[in-house]
Amino acid sequence: MPALRPDAEPVVSDITSNKLGYVVLPGNESILMAEAMARRSWWRTVEKGSPNNFWWGGNGQRFGWPDFQKGVKRQIVNQVEGHSEICTKTRLAENLRRYANDQKLDCCWVPETFVVSAGYNEGGKLNLLKKTYARLQELEGPVWIVKPASRNRGNGIQVFGSFQDIETHLRNAKTGSQWVVQKYIEQPLLIDGRKFDIRSYCLITPDHKIHMYKHSYIRTSSTAFDLSNLEDRSSHLTNDAVQEKFEHYGTFEDSNKLSMQAFQELFAGQFSVEDDLVPQMRACATHAFSAVLNKLNPMRRQHCFELFGLDFMVDARHKVYLIEVNTSPALYRHGQVLTDLLPVLIEEVVQKAIDPCFPPPTAEAAATIEPLTDFDVLIDTPSGRNMRRTISGSGRGAYNSTIAAAARTVRKTSSNNGNPENAASMGVGRTNSSGSSSNAAVANVSGLSSGDENAAVAAVDRSLQRTNRTNADDSKVVSSAAPVEAADLLKRDTSLSKQLLKTASTNAASVYQQNLVIRTMRKTSSGLSANRAAFKV
């Protein structure tokens, strides 16, 4: 694939006055998006505040929805209304509790969690927390972690080793402030004695589909994991914003980052990342987004998207936990791992979210963009029209069918990976929040049924292949969950392929779609390493 540079000469010279306008707000290495847009000669930058067709605020900036599509016929923005339902720690916990109750799930992939308000004992939650603390102290140890509702970058997070310390912390906090009190994973999987977590990415595209990126990376701590010193943030918090402040940052790994390939090499012979961890991560993400499907993008706007960062932890038994979901995930190219990964990630975000809405106007322009296929469809939601009916009270069946299908999929694909020890541990963790009756106050967001490892992986593959076939009525771009040979794709989806190719040949603006179809069918592998060179700057 040829290297594309942002300073390359435009291939289209006769449409300058008709170019689309975009605004990239500063912060969080916004140059990544600017570089991706500069590869598209049918776009041009415009001043902040000017009418624009694409607005990017990647550093937590809020978009003013009353100004949506102001002065333009079409506009796309990188923000989904209602994202606080999944990105705010307290809202995520409460939504998971409701979802688990509705779907009758007992999902162990979230540690025991309570949402409490400082200065209040609503519904006796503090009493319940105290009882739960005493129960789990005997089973898992006395350490819990306390997090403020909506702060990020590790701010305000503290780790405590006694219930009295938790009570004191809440008593001294601002009255009414909300906190997540969560059981700490006291036996995490360690890298050379140090704690780590996994950062992955999910993308909501304008067609309301939810995708998960194939490539994640590891964030490590700078000092040895030590439960005897709970105040040592370098030992217990892996956030980059926390770790980069310590003198040992970068001592063991380049910028405290590891690729998943390097991570796998460290644990070769113990477990398979692809077969043992990834299916659990997909199940966690499917649950999390299924829990908020009816709350994200409540107005069902057709031209909005968002990239999310998901953080996972792995315990000593190789069980994966979802820790949190982040809006505006950090995009700083700290170290070679992120220097390689992030430009490719952002390029594919543009391909999946922006290019289908604003395709290149000529075949020559389309030829400059090599399709990437590292986002898999995780949840194929109903169309915007169906979802709009759902919100208004009718069409509830379509939404419930999506939720039920997602729940069935994760029940099948969340496995104990064939490990008897994991099977024994699957019913341990539960998420708790405000509830109604005695057990309702404890949201049992845990305990997926276990199954054979190979069957689980096969179920994941079948599910992804089913949900990732693009309907001709909903999308103009083929996105392949698992790239296959052209013959296989034509054999499986002959009518769809022919219809897309026929449609794509009708006008110049559709040449881009035709190229996407042809290239995707020819593509048999889309490993990250093959794409890195094209997007290095």
Side-chain angles (χ1 to χ4, degrees), residues 61 84 157 228 239 294 349 385 421 427 471 497 507 516 522:
Q61 297 97 333
S84 62
I157 295 178
S228 68
N239 310 59
N294 62 336
V349 167
R385 182 175 299 176
E421 291 185 342
N471 293 325
S497 301
N507 55 69
L516 278 175
R522 288 174 179 170

Side-chain angles (χ1 to χ4, degrees), residues 492-509:
R492 191 179 67 228
D493 289 325
T494 302
S495 60
L496 172 61
S497 301
K498 288 181 177 179
Q499 183 177 354
L500 284 169
L501 289 170
K502 181 178 179 181
T503 301
S505 63
T506 57
N507 55 69

Side-chain angles (χ1 to χ4, degrees), residues 132-264:
T132 305
Y133 182 97
R135 174 173 57 84
L136 291 183
Q137 183 174 7
E138 299 298 324
L139 297 173
E140 303 177 32
V143 183
W144 287 60
I145 187 167
V146 180
K147 312 172 188 179
S150 57
R151 299 180 70 182
N152 58 10
R153 302 173 67 85
N155 291 314
I157 295 178
Q158 294 194 49
V159 184
F160 298 109
S162 72
F163 185 77
Q164 290 72 25
D165 289 341
I166 297 173
E167 277 189 312
T168 300
H169 178 77
L170 295 175
R171 190 181 305 117
N172 294 333
K174 181 180 178 180
T175 300
S177 59
Q178 284 200 311
W179 298 81
V180 165
V181 183
Q182 190 173 71
K183 183 68 187 76
Y184 193 63
I185 300 172
E186 296 192 37
Q187 296 184 9
L189 186 65
L190 302 175
I191 295 177
D192 295 332
R194 293 172 292 115
K195 186 178 174 181
F196 70 90
D197 69 5
I198 303 174
R199 165 57 60 91
S200 187
Y201 299 97
C202 282
L203 173 69
I204 298 181
T205 46
D207 57 3
H208 312 294
K209 291 181 173 65
I210 299 170
H211 309 250
M212 191 167 189
Y213 200 53
K214 294 179 182 178
H215 306 290
S216 306
Y217 68 93
I218 301 295
R219 306 185 301 184
T220 63
S221 59
S222 300
T223 57
F225 182 70
D226 184 5
L227 288 175
S228 68
N229 185 3
L230 300 180
E231 296 181 0
D232 185 357
R233 293 167 65 83
S234 69
S235 171
H236 297 287
L237 301 182
T238 56
N239 310 59
D240 229 23
V242 173
Q243 291 294 326
E244 64 184 2
K245 299 175 182 178
F246 296 105
E247 61 176 330
H248 295 300
Y249 179 72
T251 299
F252 303 101
E253 298 88 19
D254 181 12
S255 299
N256 283 38
K257 308 294 185 300
L258 280 174
S259 68
M260 293 303 280
Q261 180 180 354
F263 174 67
Q264 176 65 85

Side-chain angles (χ1 to χ4, degrees), residues 420-454:
E421 291 185 342
N422 278 355
S425 70
M426 291 298 277
V428 175
R430 295 189 178 99
T431 295
N432 305 315
S433 180
S434 58
S436 45
S437 61
S438 57
N439 284 338
V442 181
N444 297 327
V445 186
S446 298
L448 296 173
S449 58
S450 59
D452 177 74
E453 173 185 352
N454 295 329

Side-chain angles (χ1 to χ4, degrees), residues 296-474:
L296 294 174
N297 193 12
M299 302 300 294
R300 310 327 291 174
R301 303 184 191 275
Q302 295 298 306
H303 293 98
C304 60
F305 70 96
E306 187 156 354
L307 179 69
F308 297 89
L310 283 70
D311 296 336
F312 300 94
M313 282 195 62
V314 184
D315 71 11
R317 294 181 172 181
H318 312 151
K319 189 173 77 172
V320 173
Y321 298 85
L322 174 67
I323 302 302
E324 62 185 34
V325 179
N326 301 277
T327 183
S328 298
L331 298 176
Y332 297 103
R333 285 175 274 193
H334 292 165
Q336 193 61 48
V337 171
L338 297 189
T339 298
D340 291 345
L341 186 148
L342 292 177
V344 186
L345 167 72
I346 296 302
E347 169 62 28
E348 189 166 355
V349 167
V350 176
Q351 290 187 18
K352 291 292 187 292
I354 301 174
D355 288 349
C357 299
F358 298 97
T362 69
E364 191 177 13
T368 65
I369 307 299
E370 180 72 20
L372 302 175
T373 58
D374 287 333
F375 271 109
D376 289 336
V377 173
L378 191 70
I379 301 176
D380 193 349
T381 63
S383 67
R385 182 175 299 176
N386 287 339
M387 291 296 284
R388 199 175 291 116
R389 287 203 300 267
T390 295
I391 298 302
S392 65
S394 60
R396 175 65 61 180
Y399 168 70
N400 285 344
S401 296
T402 300
I403 292 293
R408 287 194 299 270
T409 298
V410 294
R411 284 193 187 102
K412 292 179 181 178
T413 60
S414 295
S415 68
N416 61 7
N417 308 312
N419 187 332
E421 291 185 342
N422 278 355
S425 70
M426 291 298 277
V428 175
R430 295 189 178 99
T431 295
N432 305 315
S433 180
S434 58
S436 45
S437 61
S438 57
N439 284 338
V442 181
N444 297 327
V445 186
S446 298
L448 296 173
S449 58
S450 59
D452 177 74
E453 173 185 352
N454 295 329
V457 175
V460 172
D461 292 338
R462 289 194 300 273
S463 175
L464 289 174
Q465 289 176 16
R466 284 197 304 271
T467 60
N468 207 39
R469 294 178 185 175
T470 306
N471 293 325
D473 292 337
D474 290 339

